[in-house]
């Protein structure tokens, strides 16, 4: 008996599976909030030099605040006070002719800065004066976090394949919450950066473990539905972040607010089952039978599991499934090596592109809260369309097509003036296509890798994806050399990913591979037999079946 057959018999999308989805939804909600948190906590509000040192003897007298700024700080091209320079002494003649300040001697800010608190009460920039020469550190916050996410993905991917999905999920919940809350007590930027790194390292386990756990408990025909429901947690979290940030303008309180759902997730963890697939693949038939029995009881299919003995479950996979696998097994055999190269390239490209768009919420003409809300809201229709396309045209065409359309959107934006509303519209469409590509590749990858290496595969790909995310904030800095530099790079990686996606085998309506032999073709010749059967169905004009 195949595991797919067993899951189908005990209802592959019953109350048991829905319970798992609901529990994981709570934890996954906080992931996009943390991933995009730097958009708000690292924002740089309008600022200018503190001019109190120029008024030591009260020489400003009864001047208004606007007049004091006029005589103390040179004006920029748009008429606002300069952010990083001030006059070495008051220039009172500018009150009569404010346009004659171009050749006056200026110095860098001597006594710190004053910030406009109308949008933010406090941010990292106001906390540690990360402006002017230090403004690059604000972008570094995102990069540091995603470097942590990158290494965390590799760590939790390997550990959950070795020790199981459930225990490592608890580790991720507790440690992610602990480091995130500890960061609000940072006494220096360096301390904050270190804690932010470990926040990313630990919190990423939630998304890669829950994705695989949910996928391993459902039957074939509900895999794409589960993928879409999982990804909706991201859409809800991303959209909610704009509302939460709008209500909470202090960076410390905002961090607490977006981390708090993990407390509920930790409590709900007790109801999370271990993956029966993982237990069987690791020779733990008795425990797998225990969870399958719980699933059958909750789904009201108890009579099915009562006919199956625990020792019979060991026949579902080969004995080789009992060995310990590592990341090296991803490259030991030729087809696994090719699969790892292709999926890794796509993950890197799609992550770079998606976060390059998501982290650039000030570059498309709307205020940051509205831009974040629109970016989050566009994910809902985008993922609903993906749900339809995954069934109609398959994973491969959906992934390649979404990447291609995202690249075209980015290309169009290179030629659109920054002050035209059409730029915002095209950017939102590009974000929608990017989200569609990201949503698809997560499901696609989990279906391509065998059970014995699925979590390692997800960890490896997530590692490369987070590497791409880490690069995204640095790509945006390139706009200081040429205004369209970042858009050109993001467009290029999207088109590259589209080409690479065409090289992957289709997985629609097919059983998940259980062992490396399934992928290599030395055992059941997994993909080749499925493709051959698909061709035969087209010739005989039969209805396609769920191939195993």
């Amino acid at each position: 008996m195949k595991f797919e057959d067993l899951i189908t018999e005990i209802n592959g999308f019953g109350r048991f599976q829905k319970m798992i989805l609901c529990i994981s939804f709570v934890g996954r909600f906080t992931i996009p909030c943390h991933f995009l948190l730097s958009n708000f906590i690292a924002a740089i509000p309008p600022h200018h030099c503190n001019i109190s040192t120029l008024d030591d003897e009260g020489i400003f007298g009864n001047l208004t605040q606007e007049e004091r700024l006029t005589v103390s700080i040179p004006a920029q091209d748009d008429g606002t006070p300069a952010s990083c320079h001030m006059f070495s002494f008051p220039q009172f003649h500018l009150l009569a002719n404010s346009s004659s300040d171009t050749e006056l001697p200026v110095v860098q800010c001597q006594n710190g800065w004053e910030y406009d608190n109308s949008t933010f009460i406090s941010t990292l920039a106001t906390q540690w004066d990360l402006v002017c020469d230090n403004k690059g550190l604000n972008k570094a916050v995102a990069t540091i976090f995603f470097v942590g996410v990158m290494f965390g993905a590799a760590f939790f991917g390997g550990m959950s394949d070795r020790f199981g999905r459930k225990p490592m999920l608890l580790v991720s919940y507790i440690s992610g919450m602990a480091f995130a809350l500890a960061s609000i007590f940072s006494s220096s930027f360096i301390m904050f950066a270190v804690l932010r790194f470990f926040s990313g390292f630990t919190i990423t386990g939630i998304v890669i473990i829950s994705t695989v756990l949910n996928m391993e408990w459902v039957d074939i025909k509900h895999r794409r539905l589960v993928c879409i429901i999982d990804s909706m947690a991201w859409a809800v979290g991303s959209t909610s972040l704009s509302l939460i940030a709008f209500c909470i303008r202090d960076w410390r309180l905002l961090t607490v607010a977006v981390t708090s759902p993990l407390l509920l997730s930790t409590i709900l963890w007790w109801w999370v089952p271990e993956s029966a697939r993982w237990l069987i693949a690791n020779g733990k038939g008795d425990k797998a039978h225990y969870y399958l029995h719980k699933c059958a009881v909750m789904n009201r299919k108890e009579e099915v599991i009562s006919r199956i003995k625990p020792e019979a479950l060991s026949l579902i996979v080969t004995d080789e499934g009992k060995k310990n696998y590592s990341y090296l097994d991803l490259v030991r055999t030729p087809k696994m090596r090719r699969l790892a190269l292709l999926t890794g390239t796509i993950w890197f490209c799609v992550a770079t592109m998606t976060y390059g768009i998501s982290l650039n919420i000030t570059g498309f003409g709307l205020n940051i809260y509205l831009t974040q809300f629109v970016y989050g809201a566009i994910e809902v229709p985008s993922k609903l369309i993906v749900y339809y396309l995954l069934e109609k045209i398959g994973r491969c065409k959906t992934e390649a097509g979404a990447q291609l359309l995202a690249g075209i959107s980015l290309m169009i934006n290179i030629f659109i003036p920054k002050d035209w509303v059409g730029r915002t519209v095209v950017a939102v469409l590009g974000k929608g296509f990017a989200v569609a590509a990201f949503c698809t590749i997560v499901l696609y990858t989990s279906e391509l890798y065998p059970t014995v290496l699925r979590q390692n595969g997800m960890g490896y790909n997530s590692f490369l994806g987070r590497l791409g995310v880490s690069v995204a904030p640095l790509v945006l800095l390139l706009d200081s050399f040429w205004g369209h530099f970042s858009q050109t790079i993001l467009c290029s990686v999207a088109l590259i990913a589209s080409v690479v996606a065409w090289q992957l085998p289709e997985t629609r309506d097919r059983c998940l591979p259980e062992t490396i032999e399934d992928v290599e073709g030395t055992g059941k010749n997994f993909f080749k037999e499925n493709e051959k059967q698909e061709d035969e169905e087209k010739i005989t004009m039969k209805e396609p079946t769920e191939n195993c």
Side-chain angles (χ1 to χ4, degrees):
M1 172 183 286
K2 289 290 184 183
F3 188 86
E4 306 290 353
D5 299 329
L6 179 57
I7 283 292
T8 301
E9 286 193 43
I10 61 176
N11 192 349
F13 194 66
R15 292 195 300 171
F16 186 80
Q17 285 79 6
K18 292 171 184 175
M19 176 196 70
I20 301 173
L21 278 175
C22 291
I23 293 174
S24 67
F25 194 95
V26 177
R28 291 173 71 93
F29 170 87
T30 196
I31 301 300
C33 294
H34 269 282
F35 277 34
L36 301 174
L37 188 60
S38 62
N39 282 339
F40 300 98
I41 67 171
I44 303 177
H47 56 281
H48 58 76
C49 296
N50 184 342
I51 59 175
S52 59
T53 55
L54 298 181
D55 191 34
D56 288 339
E57 299 177 1
I59 59 176
F60 285 162
N62 294 324
L63 294 180
T64 64
Q65 180 63 19
E66 182 178 354
E67 290 173 333
R68 294 183 182 192
L69 293 177
T70 299
V71 302
S72 304
I73 300 176
Q76 301 181 109
D77 293 338
D78 60 0
T80 59
S83 300
C84 302
H85 295 90
M86 59 186 291
F87 296 126
S88 55
F89 54 89
Q91 306 292 327
F92 290 103
H93 68 279
L94 294 178
L95 295 174
N97 183 11
S98 60
S99 62
S100 59
D101 66 346
T102 54
E103 298 182 358
L104 296 174
V106 297
V107 295
Q108 293 185 335
C109 297
Q110 302 296 300
N111 194 36
W113 290 263
E114 294 181 5
Y115 298 93
D116 180 356
N117 294 325
S118 60
T119 302
F120 302 100
I121 295 176
S122 72
T123 67
L124 301 180
T126 64
Q127 180 75 33
W128 290 296
D129 288 334
L130 306 182
V131 294
C132 298
D133 292 342
N134 293 324
K135 67 180 180 180
L137 294 178
N138 291 283
K139 291 292 185 185
V141 168
T143 297
I144 290 169
F145 175 81
F146 287 121
V147 169
V149 170
M150 177 177 67
F151 287 104
F155 173 81
F156 281 96
M159 292 297 102
S160 57
D161 261 344
R162 181 176 293 271
F163 298 108
R165 288 32 166 165
K166 183 173 180 176
M168 295 311 299
L169 185 60
L170 179 63
V171 171
S172 186
Y173 281 152
I174 294 177
S175 57
M177 180 169 53
F179 282 113
L181 295 179
S183 69
I184 69 174
F185 299 103
S186 301
S187 57
S188 66
F189 177 76
I190 293 178
M191 179 180 176
F192 174 83
V194 171
L195 290 173
R196 193 70 181 143
F197 170 88
F198 284 107
S199 296
F201 183 95
T202 51
I203 207 170
T204 190
I206 298 173
V207 64
I208 64 172
I209 295 173
S210 61
T211 296
V212 171
L213 186 61
N214 291 337
M215 203 64 59
E216 291 182 338
W217 268 110
V218 298
D219 57 16
I220 294 175
K221 67 180 181 180
H222 288 104
R223 286 203 303 251
R224 64 190 178 100
L225 175 61
V226 168
C227 174
I228 298 302
I229 294 174
D230 267 354
S231 64
M232 282 300 177
W234 185 279
V236 173
S238 180
T239 306
S240 300
L241 175 61
S242 62
L243 303 177
I244 298 171
F246 182 80
C247 297
I248 303 176
R249 307 295 182 95
D250 179 86
W251 74 269
R252 287 188 173 90
L253 294 179
L254 180 58
T255 302
V256 173
V258 300
T259 305
S260 56
L262 292 182
L263 178 60
L264 177 59
S265 296
T266 304
I267 297 172
L268 295 174
W269 172 86
W270 295 101
W271 286 270
V272 175
E274 181 56 271
S275 167
R277 287 181 185 270
W278 179 85
L279 290 169
I280 294 171
N282 285 270
K284 301 180 180 180
D286 289 340
K287 203 163 186 179
H289 189 272
Y290 166 77
Y291 283 114
L292 287 168
H293 182 266
K294 290 184 66 175
C295 175
V297 170
M298 187 172 290
N299 291 347
R300 299 173 183 173
K301 297 286 185 177
E302 189 173 0
E303 70 282 357
V304 176
I305 201 67
S306 63
R307 302 195 306 264
I308 301 174
K309 301 299 181 182
E311 51 270 19
L313 295 176
S314 61
L315 301 176
I316 290 180
V317 296
T318 63
D319 289 338
E320 191 176 349
K322 298 177 182 178
K323 65 171 282 190
N324 289 326
Y325 290 86
S326 69
Y327 285 107
L328 290 177
D329 291 292
L330 296 174
V331 295
R332 290 187 195 278
T333 53
K335 289 188 179 179
M336 284 299 305
R337 191 160 50 243
R338 181 176 184 272
L339 178 62
L341 176 62
L342 294 176
T343 58
T345 301
I346 295 174
W347 272 77
F348 176 84
C349 291
V350 72
T352 303
M353 174 193 61
T354 303
Y355 282 88
I357 298 174
S358 299
L359 296 175
N360 188 22
I361 63 174
T362 60
F364 297 107
L366 301 176
N367 71 68
I368 61 174
Y369 299 107
L370 184 55
T371 302
Q372 181 62 56
F373 181 84
V374 172
Y375 273 2
I378 192 63
E379 295 190 20
V380 177
S382 174
K383 289 169 180 177
L384 292 177
I385 293 173
V386 166
Y387 177 75
Y388 174 80
L389 293 177
L390 287 175
E391 177 63 24
K392 293 300 178 181
I393 66 175
R395 280 61 161 160
C396 182
K397 292 179 181 178
T398 301
E399 177 64 26
Q403 290 280 10
L404 178 62
L405 292 173
I408 292 174
S409 299
L410 290 165
M411 185 184 301
I412 292 173
N413 248 352
I414 295 175
F415 304 99
I416 297 179
K418 289 189 175 181
D419 56 351
W420 189 50
V421 67
R423 181 176 174 83
T424 302
V425 174
V426 175
V428 170
L429 288 175
K431 173 65 188 298
F433 293 131
V435 166
F438 216 142
C439 177
T440 302
I441 195 59
V442 173
L443 170 65
Y444 203 1
T445 302
S446 67
E447 293 179 335
L448 287 167
Y449 283 85
T451 298
V452 294
L453 276 176
R454 186 165 297 121
Q455 198 69 77
N456 276 318
M458 290 297 290
Y460 153 77
N461 283 285
S462 187
F463 176 89
L464 290 180
R466 303 321 170 195
L467 177 61
V469 175
S470 303
V471 170
L474 305 181
V475 170
L476 297 179
L477 291 177
L478 297 176
D479 283 344
S480 60
F481 299 101
W482 176 48
H484 302 298
F485 209 156
S486 65
Q487 296 289 302
T488 303
I489 292 177
L490 296 178
C491 171
S492 300
V493 298
L495 297 178
I496 291 171
S498 178
V499 173
V500 174
W502 283 108
Q503 312 304 313
L504 290 173
E506 182 56 66
T507 60
R508 178 179 47 166
D509 292 336
R510 295 171 184 170
C511 294
L512 296 179
E514 302 292 351
T515 65
I516 294 177
E517 287 77 9
D518 292 346
V519 177
E520 290 297 321
T522 57
K524 292 175 288 184
N525 213 2
F526 184 72
F527 289 118
K528 181 178 284 188
E529 285 189 1
N530 279 324
E531 290 167 1
K532 181 179 179 181
Q533 183 172 344
E534 191 176 76
D535 292 339
E536 291 174 351
E537 286 167 355
K538 291 179 180 178
I539 294 173
T540 58
M541 301 298 291
K542 293 180 180 179
E543 287 294 323
T545 58
E546 293 178 355
N547 306 326
C548 293

